[in-house]
Amino acid sequence: MQVMYPTAVQHGFTGQPWELFAPAVSLEFGCRVLAADLKWATGHTKQAVAAYNTGRGNWTSVTGAAYASSVMARYDRIVAGR
């Protein structure tokens, strides 16, 4: 998962920007951001995924919608075992 430095700081990150390239750190803060977005979107997964990609203020954008559709399609394939 990729997280922008300012976003990570908003979610409690106190390290240096380059530390976000470490997989464990990136995954931890990516999950924190996504969890906060899921709470914000009151459990609407597609909306939360779009917000993760484009920011909460832009989640309805074409970019956010396309990203969310792509992620949800992959998720559906995983759940279906394909």
Side-chain angles (χ1 to χ4, degrees):
M1 301 178 84
Q2 292 180 310
V3 181
M4 299 297 289
Y5 178 71
T7 303
V9 169
Q10 289 175 346
H11 292 272
F13 181 70
T14 59
Q16 296 298 317
W18 60 85
E19 293 176 62
L20 289 169
F21 290 105
V25 175
S26 179
L27 184 58
E28 176 184 345
F29 284 91
C31 288
R32 287 183 185 201
V33 172
L34 186 55
D37 286 341
L38 280 164
K39 185 175 181 179
W40 167 80
T42 60
H44 293 92
T45 307
K46 193 170 184 177
Q47 180 179 340
V49 169
Y52 178 87
N53 181 252
T54 61
R56 292 179 186 172
N58 296 318
W59 73 271
T60 59
S61 69
V62 172
T63 302
Y67 176 79
S69 292
S70 173
V71 169
M72 297 310 294
R74 288 183 181 132
Y75 173 78
D76 290 341
R77 283 195 305 271
I78 291 168
V79 169
R82 293 181 275 154

